[in-house]
Amino acid sequence: MNNDSNDKLPVKEFLSRHVPDQVSNSRRLCYRHRPDLIKQRQPDDLDVEKVQYQLEELPTEDKAAITHIWSIFSAAPAEQRILILKGLLSTCCMPQLSFLHDAIKPLLRIDFLAILPREISLQIFFYLDAKALCHAAQVSHNWKRLADDDALWHRMCEQHIDKKCTKCGWGLPLLNKKRKATLSIERPLINPSVAPLRTACGPTLISRNEAVEDTPQTSNNVNKKSKIDKETTTSFNNMFTNATTTACTTAPPTVQRKAWKDVYSERLVVERNWRNNKYKLNILSGHTDGVMCVQFCDSSNILMTGSYDKSVRIWNLETGELLRTLTGHTRCVRALQFDEAKLVTGSMDHTLKIWNWQTGKCIRTLEGHTGGVLSLHFNSRLMASGSTDRTIRVWNFSAGECCTLTGHTEWVNSVRFCQEGAMLVSASDDSTIRLWDVQTRSCIRVLNGHVGQVQIAIPSPTGFTHRFSEEEIYSRQPQNNGNHFSSNIPPFYQPACASENNRRNSTSTAKSKATIPATNTAVLSRNPIIISGSLDNTIKIWDMNTGNCIRTLFGHVEGVWSLAYDTLRIISGSHDKTVRVWDLGSGKCMHALEGHSGPVTAVALGDTKIVSTSDDGDIRIWDYGILHM
């Protein structure tokens, strides 16, 4: 009996001496044994209940011996535990070592996010791209709650929406919410009146015979007519000062906010449609001759077109239904622009007409050009028009003035205000682009570089950012004149924000295939630019401040008639009957859209749509949205 007691004494002393402190102090317990973490982490693959069941199957002496061994090991300090394990490993055969290999690997997985505070965990997730966040959300419920955090996806949206991400080169469309289109207008519009609507230059609407008949009227009638004139002019001026800025930028009514992850996902689907050239095509027919101009507004769900058949047609953008046809011009309608309150059209009959497009009534006719009106553009204060008479007229309705800008030696095909109305950009058949100071009415810069008639020149809007650099190699060989655009998309077009390694590999691969430098290496710039299209088959991008050409895009095999662009892509229409989609950052042609049987005369671009018109009389709507997916 004494011998047994002596044999057991060292074990008892060992157990009493080496009882770990973590049994009584939970803060010093390891990751696997902390009670507060057991519920958060995934259960171990090692089934303790199964082990206990196997132990119960053994004889009592064997069971006591094994329990004794476990007790000694659990009581031993860390250094002695390792010593015990080394001794056990030295005695293990291959089957035991194989079992240890399979059993230990899953036990070493540690959910570090279960230990860290939520704020630190979110900070770690901020370094993940969208794809990695989606993978993280599949790990566990805890990881999903963190990966779906609104702040993470709000930052992801800020990084990609309406801009190119500097990490992955991807950008997502803005997708402004549509508001319900209404055909009723809240502010009053002026109605047609027998009173003459005088312009700063050009004759009034009243005929000579009517003027003679009005001469013998009494002074009371003259005063009454002057009062009508004043009220009508005031109401007309309000249309330009109040309506323009609310045309397609009026904020939609507040609605229940989506989760930022849903916002990102919706836009990612649309951008992938753009990248993969997945669209739904809708063709509108109705014009009896070539369609020369187009504009649409997604928020109002309105599309307007002007044609050689002397008419303007107003369509429902979504359904393609013809809502109204406006007639009044005596020759081809070459230019139009509309907002919430009014429509202005320019025609080869030398006139501009201002319409209440919701009622179809012509409000005013502006005369002054001695040739056909090819282009027009208005803002909240001014309207400019370019003509075959080689002049540009700037109409100031609030001041009742009209000035003429001269300098071009051929037809003026395009006019656009920029710099908040302080500057005007014009393009002409004389192969030049001119930049005008509206205040001084003088030409401050002439851009030379095109060798053909310049059909359109569009300045960047205020706040537009880009990564064009004058240090780039601007001279490029014509790219891909065949039908391989969609299959030759560079490898750096990858979804979401690619990881650093993928980005490095993709960039190096792209450089070996193209001479165009990666845009994510350039410094973000707010310098205003001009993008122009010419009958020399090229598209040029200009620095407005210096007048230098910073990039030339080749691809069309005939002249470029029309352009539209946003922060992500450029759309061009050409005499070669194609519409081409270009990546704004790299300058590569992504897709060539075919289908028109005549030259593409005008294009318009939205977040999810391209609208193109042609000399064949058709209007094609290329819809890249998610409604048809």
Side-chain angles (χ1 to χ4, degrees):
M1 189 68 178
N2 290 336
N3 292 336
D4 293 341
S5 299
N6 292 333
D7 292 339
K8 293 182 179 179
L9 185 58
V11 176
K12 288 183 179 180
E13 291 178 356
F14 181 87
L15 293 174
S16 62
R17 187 171 67 252
H18 295 297
V19 173
D21 293 339
Q22 58 263 34
V23 173
S24 58
N25 187 354
S26 61
R27 291 184 180 180
R28 299 186 59 183
L29 290 174
C30 72
Y31 168 81
R32 288 195 65 221
H33 298 103
R34 275 179 54 178
D36 57 328
L37 296 180
I38 291 177
K39 294 181 179 180
Q40 297 184 27
R41 63 182 174 85
Q42 292 180 337
D44 292 338
D45 292 342
L46 186 62
D47 192 345
V48 179
E49 293 183 358
K50 185 177 180 180
V51 174
Q52 191 66 31
Y53 176 78
Q54 292 175 346
L55 182 65
E56 294 296 333
E57 296 292 324
L58 298 177
T60 304
E61 294 80 5
D62 295 346
K63 181 166 55 177
I66 294 174
T67 304
H68 188 64
I69 295 171
W70 289 351
S71 300
I72 293 175
F73 183 81
S74 62
E79 297 81 2
Q80 296 186 17
R81 284 189 175 193
I82 293 176
L83 184 61
I84 295 171
L85 288 175
K86 287 180 178 179
L88 291 174
L89 286 174
S90 66
T91 62
C92 287
C93 299
M94 292 304 295
Q96 289 90 47
L97 291 176
S98 178
F99 167 77
L100 287 175
H101 177 270
D102 295 338
I104 289 174
K105 190 174 181 179
L107 295 178
L108 290 176
R109 297 171 183 163
I110 296 177
D111 185 0
F112 61 92
L113 296 183
I115 308 172
L116 298 174
R118 177 179 174 83
E119 292 76 12
I120 297 179
S121 300
L122 287 175
Q123 192 62 37
I124 294 172
F125 274 33
F126 271 128
Y127 289 94
L128 301 181
D129 56 52
K131 187 175 181 180
L133 283 176
C134 292
H135 287 165
Q138 301 175 29
V139 172
S140 66
H141 291 294
N142 183 40
W143 282 51
K144 179 174 174 58
R145 284 191 294 270
L146 290 170
D148 289 348
D149 187 84
D150 228 27
L152 290 174
W153 288 99
H154 178 262
R155 183 169 177 175
M156 195 69 65
C157 289
E158 283 186 327
Q159 191 174 345
H160 290 86
I161 291 181
D162 202 31
K163 66 182 71 172
K164 282 290 186 73
C165 175
T166 58
K167 296 180 179 179
C168 67
W170 268 63
L172 302 181
L174 189 60
L175 293 191
N176 282 325
K177 286 184 177 293
K178 285 188 177 182
R179 54 185 175 82
K180 293 182 179 179
T182 70
L183 291 179
S184 61
I185 192 160
E186 295 180 359
R187 66 174 60 84
L189 292 176
I190 60 175
N191 294 319
S193 170
V194 294
L197 298 177
R198 295 184 175 85
T199 62
C201 55
T204 64
L205 284 181
I206 190 169
S207 67
R208 289 186 179 181
N209 293 334
E210 290 172 344
V212 172
E213 293 173 0
D214 287 340
T215 304
Q217 288 183 345
T218 61
S219 58
N220 291 335
N221 290 337
V222 172
N223 293 336
K224 186 181 296 183
K225 179 165 288 190
S226 299
K227 185 177 180 181
I228 295 174
D229 234 356
K230 185 176 180 181
E231 291 176 351
T232 305
T233 304
T234 302
S235 180
F236 176 80
N237 292 340
N238 289 338
M239 292 174 62
F240 273 85
T241 56
N242 297 330
T244 304
T245 57
T246 60
C248 291
T249 58
T250 304
T254 56
V255 294
Q256 187 175 3
R257 187 172 61 86
K258 280 185 177 180
W260 282 107
K261 184 176 182 179
D262 295 337
V263 172
Y264 183 92
S265 300
E266 182 182 22
R267 283 150 180 78
L268 182 61
V269 170
V270 174
E271 182 61 19
R272 281 175 174 163
N273 288 344
W274 279 104
R275 298 282 172 141
N276 298 323
N277 202 29
K278 292 183 178 179
Y279 57 82
K280 177 183 178 182
L281 180 62
N282 189 17
I283 302 176
L284 307 183
S285 300
H287 283 292
T288 58
D289 209 334
V291 183
M292 300 305 297
C293 49
V294 64
Q295 183 191 343
F296 74 90
C297 182
D298 257 324
S299 60
S300 300
N301 202 29
I302 292 295
L303 168 69
M304 296 193 190
T305 53
S307 169
Y308 262 110
D309 64 12
K310 310 173 190 176
S311 71
V312 175
R313 289 178 181 255
I314 304 175
W315 313 79
N316 183 299
L317 180 61
E318 186 174 348
T319 65
E321 176 190 1
L322 178 62
L323 302 178
R324 188 169 291 109
T325 300
L326 308 182
T327 57
H329 284 294
T330 58
R331 294 186 66 186
C332 162
V333 178
R334 286 293 304 267
L336 65 82
Q337 183 184 348
F338 75 92
D339 63 14
E340 193 176 67
K342 63 187 174 297
L343 162 68
V344 182
T345 57
S347 170
M348 294 301 288
D349 62 10
H350 305 185
T351 68
L352 296 103
K353 288 183 180 290
I354 303 172
W355 311 75
N356 176 352
W357 60 265
Q358 300 190 26
T359 63
K361 295 180 180 178
C362 180
I363 300 170
R364 188 168 185 173
T365 298
L366 304 179
E367 298 180 354
H369 281 294
T370 58
V373 179
L374 300 173
S375 55
L376 66 90
H377 187 236
F378 65 78
N379 58 23
S380 59
R381 299 183 303 108
L382 306 171
M383 182 172 69
S385 57
S387 169
T388 60
D389 62 14
R390 308 174 185 178
T391 68
I392 302 165
R393 287 182 178 262
V394 180
W395 313 76
N396 187 329
F397 294 101
S398 58
E401 297 176 352
C402 176
C403 66
T404 302
L405 307 180
T406 57
H408 284 296
T409 57
E410 293 293 341
W411 291 8
V412 181
N413 299 313
S414 173
V415 290
R416 291 292 178 102
F417 286 109
C418 60
Q419 305 295 305
E420 298 181 347
M423 300 290 180
L424 179 72
V425 175
S426 63
S428 169
D429 274 356
D430 60 14
S431 303
T432 67
I433 300 167
R434 289 179 178 261
L435 183 62
W436 307 81
D437 186 315
V438 176
Q439 187 68 29
T440 62
R441 304 176 183 180
S442 61
C443 178
I444 60 176
R445 186 168 291 114
V446 180
L447 310 183
N448 291 289
H450 282 294
V451 294
Q453 297 96 320
V454 185
Q455 296 300 305
I456 187 166
I458 306 177
S460 58
T462 303
F464 185 86
T465 58
H466 58 85
R467 297 186 181 275
F468 297 122
S469 169
E470 290 199 10
E471 284 72 26
E472 295 182 20
I473 301 175
Y474 307 128
S475 300
R476 292 175 173 80
Q477 297 298 323
Q479 323 167 26
N480 297 328
N481 291 333
N483 295 322
H484 306 292
F485 296 101
S486 60
S487 62
N488 195 29
I489 297 176
F492 52 80
Y493 287 163
Q494 43 190 314
C497 277
S499 63
E500 186 66 29
N501 291 334
N502 292 339
R503 192 163 62 246
R504 203 175 286 125
N505 295 336
S506 299
T507 305
S508 62
T509 305
K511 286 183 177 179
S512 66
K513 293 186 178 182
T515 59
I516 300 173
T519 57
N520 58 358
T521 60
V523 178
L524 189 66
S525 174
R526 291 184 178 271
N527 289 341
I529 62 172
I530 299 172
I531 302 182
S532 61
S534 167
L535 296 189
D536 61 10
N537 307 352
T538 67
I539 300 167
K540 288 184 179 290
I541 302 173
W542 310 79
D543 187 317
M544 189 184 298
N545 292 336
T546 64
N548 295 332
C549 177
I550 56 179
R551 182 172 289 176
T552 300
L553 309 183
F554 300 93
H556 284 294
V557 295
E558 294 189 53
V560 179
W561 284 94
S562 55
L563 285 175
Y565 69 93
D566 57 18
T567 56
L568 303 177
R569 54 188 62 87
I570 302 172
I571 309 299
S572 60
S574 168
H575 198 78
D576 61 15
K577 306 176 185 178
T578 66
V579 177
R580 293 184 184 254
V581 182
W582 311 76
D583 181 78
L584 179 66
S586 67
K588 278 191 169 291
C589 182
M590 298 172 63
H591 313 295
L593 308 180
E594 300 177 347
H596 283 295
S597 58
V600 179
T601 53
V603 293
L605 172 65
D607 289 328
T608 62
K609 295 180 182 69
I610 299 172
V611 178
S612 60
T613 65
S614 171
D615 206 31
D616 59 15
D618 285 343
I619 304 149
R620 288 178 175 256
I621 303 174
W622 318 76
D623 188 357
Y624 291 86
I626 61 176
L627 296 178
H628 61 279
M629 299 303 293

